[in-house]
Amino acid sequence: MTDIGSDAEVEHSSRQEAASGRPAAGEDPAKREQIIEGAHRIFMGMGFDASSMSDIAREAGVSKGTLYVYFKNKEDLFAAMVQRQKSRVFEKLQEALGDKPLAEGLHDFGVAFAGYILSDNAIRAQRIVVGVLERMPEVTSSFFKVGPNHGPTVLANFLERQVAAGRLVPLDDPVWAARQFGDLCLAGLYRQRLFCEMASAPSSEAIERNVSAAVKMFLAVYGTDKA
């Protein structure tokens, strides 16, 4: 059961914030980031079920009252942690694509994408999501939600520009094509990592081999030989 902070704790924390001249309770970005960073360490080390709001407050260096000003429960905090990580990855994937030529952009995106998805931190987070999926689907729904800060959407936008330039054939569903490419980049590696068959992240050479093959296969189906 998720523990909760008392109304008195929350009210006291809010009064302290107001008296100090700091941002209003629940509106300090630095404090919010501090809490999420502490939660990340706790969730990654203990898993979702074993973690408590008391553990997170202690790790983040805040009172439970302050913690509940920013997040209503453990589920809300976990979702915020996932969204923060997705936003960070989104920026890296955008940078990898840039305005590069088609094949180069696909390659660099694939290396960045596979490198992250197969990393220790990402695999650990995905195992946590799988572990609570059936009991708490609302906690995990945002993990797979497609939005503007989501890998397939980033790549889909790049693919649409390549279609407009005549380098790719018209795509009925660019997001679906982007997911296909992502799956090709992870082929033969992802399940082994997720289910502990592969104990550590694959080598850069293994990722490069997968991504290079993925680019060739993707362009063989969708390319116009104008890349």
Side-chain angles (χ1 to χ4, degrees), residues 73-100:
N73 53 37
K74 187 170 69 170
E75 291 80 2
D76 187 34
L77 186 45
F78 182 76
M81 184 196 76
V82 169
Q83 186 56 51
R84 183 191 70 158
Q85 190 60 28
K86 285 172 64 175
S87 295
R88 289 180 173 180
V89 174
F90 162 79
E91 292 177 1
K92 293 180 180 179
L93 295 179
Q94 270 199 321
E95 182 179 340
L97 281 173
D99 293 322
K100 298 173 183 175

Side-chain angles (χ1 to χ4, degrees), residues 3 6 21 36 38 43 47-48 91 105 118 124 132 164 170 182 194 199 215 217:
D3 51 357
S6 70
I36 294 176
F43 284 135
F48 183 85
E91 292 177 1
L118 299 169
R124 193 173 296 119
V132 302
L194 187 63
V215 172
M217 286 186 278

